[in-house]
Amino acid sequence: DLDPQETEMARIRNIYREVATAAGDRLPFADSAFDYIFSNSVLEHIENIDGVLAEVWRVLRPGGRFIFTVPGPNFHDCLKGPKWGDRIQYLQTVDSRCAHLRYWDAEQWTQHLEKAGLTMVHQHGYLTRPQVQRWEFIAGCTSGILHRLLRQKKQPIEIQRSLGIRSSRVHLPKLPALLLSTLMAVGIQADASCHGCLLIEAKRS
């Protein structure tokens, strides 16, 4: 992570063998250092995506695997949005709040992976429409409200820090968290017609 405050939080958790404060296109690791690289909902936020993929190729050993998740091309279609008002404006607000820069499909990812010397070996969609809408509801009731109150002038992470609630020590007690997650799961069913995200596995030749 580029942000030293975020990497410091990671260190405090004491679950990682090593934590590095660095840009994704300038990794402080030797060539062919890793068998696997995993990225969870990060690449959609990065401007220099080709530079990051080139670094992934560099630090992977030959035959090494790169597994990552990203919002997919159907992400907007899976969102419920407001019953009234401008949907386009709503989607733009969600993208701004989440700092989403792209919603590539598998073909677009294939092209950019191959440009970096990586070959896609598997991809599938995940998070059904109801599941995406559950995330949408939770996000709208938390960071969404704060984002609107400050007229979208600050990102949620900045707001959380200013309120002192972005900390590894701040969390919902276990029982209320369990009850809330159970309530949120009510009515969630599979919907194979639309998946909001992609999981992709690629390898270095």
Side-chain angles (χ1 to χ4, degrees):
D1 200 298
L2 269 175
D3 191 330
Q5 294 186 63
E6 293 300 294
T7 51
E8 181 57 29
M9 284 178 59
R11 287 190 184 93
I12 291 172
R13 291 181 183 277
N14 200 32
I15 59 175
Y16 301 105
R17 181 180 300 175
E18 183 178 353
V19 177
T21 305
D25 56 359
R26 296 186 300 278
L27 297 175
F29 305 111
D31 295 353
S32 303
F34 300 103
D35 294 321
Y36 294 92
I37 294 176
F38 176 62
S39 170
N40 182 34
S41 298
V42 173
L43 299 182
E44 67 271 19
H45 307 295
I46 296 177
E47 291 187 13
N48 184 18
I49 187 65
D50 289 326
V52 170
L53 296 179
E55 275 291 86
V56 167
W57 179 90
R58 182 184 69 80
V59 300
L60 270 180
R61 66 166 176 79
R65 299 299 174 113
F66 177 38
I67 301 169
F68 63 93
T69 66
V70 287
N74 295 325
F75 182 79
H76 281 170
D77 291 338
C78 288
L79 295 175
K80 186 175 183 179
K83 291 184 178 180
W84 299 278
D86 187 339
R87 180 169 178 80
I88 293 177
Q89 179 61 48
Y90 172 76
L91 296 177
Q92 290 174 344
T93 300
V94 170
D95 289 349
S96 174
R97 188 181 81 234
C98 297
H100 286 173
L101 300 179
R102 63 186 63 83
Y103 296 104
W104 287 349
D105 59 21
E107 182 178 347
Q108 289 170 297
W109 279 111
T110 296
Q111 293 172 358
H112 285 264
L113 288 166
E114 289 180 348
K115 181 180 177 181
L118 300 162
T119 302
M120 184 185 293
V121 296
H122 174 77
Q123 65 86 20
H124 71 262
Y126 75 100
L127 286 188
T128 63
R129 190 191 308 270
Q131 290 167 340
V132 171
Q133 291 180 5
R134 179 172 62 166
W135 165 85
E136 179 184 14
F137 174 77
I138 295 170
C141 291
T142 53
S143 61
I145 290 177
L146 297 174
H147 198 233
R148 288 192 297 272
L149 287 175
L150 292 180
R151 299 181 180 180
Q152 304 174 25
K153 292 181 179 179
K154 287 187 177 182
Q155 288 300 104
I157 189 171
E158 298 175 283
I159 300 169
Q160 292 166 6
R161 284 175 179 165
S162 65
L163 295 175
I165 59 175
R166 188 169 185 83
S167 168
S168 60
R169 299 181 180 89
V170 177
H171 58 85
L172 196 64
K174 188 173 293 185
L175 182 57
L178 177 62
L179 292 173
L180 182 60
S181 63
T182 301
L183 287 173
M184 289 295 179
V186 173
I188 298 297
Q189 298 176 350
D191 179 4
S193 66
C194 184
H195 290 95
C197 298
L198 287 174
L199 183 147
I200 295 175
E201 180 181 0
K203 70 175 182 179
R204 175 180 166 175
S205 303

